[in-house]
Amino acid sequence: MFSGLDLEIRAGELVALVGPSGCGKSTLLNLIAGLEAPSRGQVGFDRPAGDVKLGVVFQQPRLLDWLSVAENISIVTGGQAKGVPPDVAALLAKVELLEHAHSYPQFLSGGQKQRAAIARAFAVQPDVLLLDEPFSALDELTARRVRSMLQSLWMDDTRARPTGVLVTHNMLEAAFLADRIVLLGGSPAQVVQTITVDIARPRDPDDPALFEIHREVMAALHA
């Protein structure tokens, strides 16, 4: 599916993968996550793969319906205590869900569920954060708000930023979140172009510079 694909992602960098449907973006994410194994070549980290903590946010929240929001987050860290542990409460506050800590997923809106899923991914203090079209099921107004929350969590200076890979079909989303945008294309797929997003964080979603990046990416995809 890939041809001569050579991609290096620096520690603490967030790279967005964009390209036509079926070009292998999600497959590449699965290879990084270890959910699929390459038939040739390899996926490597700067330490043994078993020592790398992964956080994943999928298109759908994938919360456990029989657990509260707080329990859905606590379970990934092995927490068994009743109530809301301080670290979980702090995460819920950052995604504006603290008042829903004891609510069950079926009583949350789509945006609230996805915020809980993002908090869960950060709860493991990931070394690598994988984002598979995490906002595609949300309306644009909600997605815009949740992207800003993700940016704030990413910029949290209490620990080293995770290294991130974002799969998206939304070029403005890629420009808003990523340090680099990698365009995949061809059959078999390969890296067609890499665009650096040299815009300081925190970023404003209405920054005209983001729209310039958007136009550059779209032009490259149509070329």
Side-chain angles (χ1 to χ4, degrees):
M1 181 173 287
F2 298 108
S3 174
L5 183 65
D6 186 7
L7 177 62
E8 180 177 351
I9 301 175
R10 297 180 290 273
E13 181 182 32
L14 200 162
V15 168
L17 304 177
V18 304
S21 295
C23 72
K25 301 183 296 296
S26 292
T27 297
L28 184 53
L29 208 70
N30 289 338
L31 290 169
I32 297 171
L35 300 176
E36 297 183 36
S39 56
R40 286 184 296 172
Q42 62 181 354
V43 176
F45 300 92
D46 60 358
R47 70 191 79 169
D51 296 336
V52 177
K53 290 186 288 186
L54 291 176
V56 185
V57 183
F58 301 97
Q59 294 181 39
Q60 300 299 324
R62 300 190 182 185
L63 302 174
L64 301 177
D65 288 338
W66 58 91
L67 297 180
S68 69
V69 169
E71 290 168 337
N72 264 284
I73 295 173
S74 296
I75 196 171
V76 301
T77 61
Q80 300 293 329
K82 294 182 179 180
V84 184
D87 55 338
V88 173
L91 270 174
L92 288 176
K94 289 177 181 178
V95 296
E96 300 179 8
L97 282 178
L98 186 55
E99 64 184 59
H100 297 285
H102 299 292
S103 299
Y104 289 87
Q106 57 266 40
F107 301 110
L108 302 180
S109 69
Q112 289 170 332
K113 290 178 184 178
Q114 201 64 339
R115 281 186 269 154
I118 290 171
R120 180 183 58 191
F122 276 91
V124 299
Q125 296 188 340
D127 301 303
V128 176
L129 182 66
L130 304 177
L131 304 156
D132 189 5
E133 297 189 63
F135 313 109
S136 61
L138 305 178
D139 65 87
E140 182 52 32
L141 186 61
T142 301
R144 177 182 170 119
R145 182 183 179 198
V146 181
R147 286 184 203 114
S148 292
M149 290 180 180
L150 176 62
Q151 175 181 237
S152 295
L153 284 168
W154 190 273
M155 294 182 63
D156 190 339
D157 60 5
T158 59
R159 63 181 300 273
R161 293 180 189 175
T163 303
V165 183
L166 166 69
V167 169
T168 181
H169 286 97
N170 187 318
M171 306 313 156
L172 275 176
E173 179 175 288
F176 178 69
L177 291 172
D179 296 295
R180 282 189 297 148
I181 301 173
V182 174
L183 283 65
L184 299 178
S187 182
Q190 55 189 304
V191 175
V192 175
Q193 187 172 340
T194 299
I195 295 173
T196 299
V197 184
D198 190 16
I199 302 173
R201 290 189 177 92
R203 294 173 183 167
D204 181 343
D206 292 321
D207 186 345
L210 296 180
F211 292 89
E212 289 298 325
I213 297 291
H214 171 270
R215 282 189 282 270
E216 184 178 354
V217 174
M218 293 302 295
L221 288 173
H222 285 297

